[in-house]
C-alpha cells in the first residue's frame, strides 16, 4: 500500500520529475542505511573473512550510489 504522503491528490497532474526525484531520494536513503551498517560491521568484525565481506558490501553500495546519481543526472 502506498503511504499517504506519496499518493496523488485527485485531479492533480502527475509531475514525473518529482516522482523520479522522490524515488532517487528513497533509494539513496536505503543505500545509506546499508552503507552505514556495512561500515560498522567492517570496523567491528575480528576475522579477516568477515571484514573482507563487509568491505565488499561497502564498495558495492558506493558503486550503486554512484550509478543511481548518474542515472538521475542523465534522466534530467
Amino acid at each position: 500500500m502506498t503511504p499517504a504522503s506519496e499518493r496523488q491528490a485527485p485531479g492533480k497532474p502527475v509531475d514525473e520529475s518529482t516522482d523520479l526525484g522522490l524515488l532517487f531520494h528513497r533509494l539513496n536513503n536505503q543505500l545509506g542505511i546499508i552503507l552505514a551498517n556495512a561500515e560498522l560491521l567492517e570496523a567491528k568484525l575480528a576475522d579477516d573473512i568477515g571484514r573482507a565481506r563487509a568491505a565488499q558490501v561497502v564498495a558495492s553500495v558506493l558503486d550503486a550510489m554512484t550509478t543511481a546519481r548518474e542515472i538521475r543526472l542523465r534522466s534530467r
Side-chain angles (χ1 to χ4, degrees), residues 5-6 16-27 72:
S5 62
E6 296 177 20
E16 289 181 17
S17 64
T18 302
D19 289 345
L20 194 56
L22 177 62
L23 288 175
F24 279 113
H25 178 78
R26 288 175 48 203
L27 177 60
R72 184 175 188 186

Side-chain angles (χ1 to χ4, degrees), residues 5-73:
S5 62
E6 296 177 20
R7 290 187 207 129
Q8 283 289 5
K12 184 177 178 184
V14 174
D15 182 355
E16 289 181 17
S17 64
T18 302
D19 289 345
L20 194 56
L22 177 62
L23 288 175
F24 279 113
H25 178 78
R26 288 175 48 203
L27 177 60
N28 277 321
N29 284 347
Q30 293 161 349
L31 289 171
I33 291 167
I34 296 167
L35 178 61
N37 282 289
E39 288 174 334
L40 284 172
L41 279 173
E42 186 180 13
K44 291 185 179 225
L45 288 171
D47 64 296
D48 291 339
I49 293 172
R51 278 195 311 276
R53 288 179 178 163
Q56 186 178 20
V57 173
V58 168
S60 294
V61 171
L62 291 171
D63 187 42
M65 292 173 107
T66 299
T67 301
R69 192 175 305 117
E70 288 176 19
I71 292 170
R72 184 175 188 186
L73 291 174

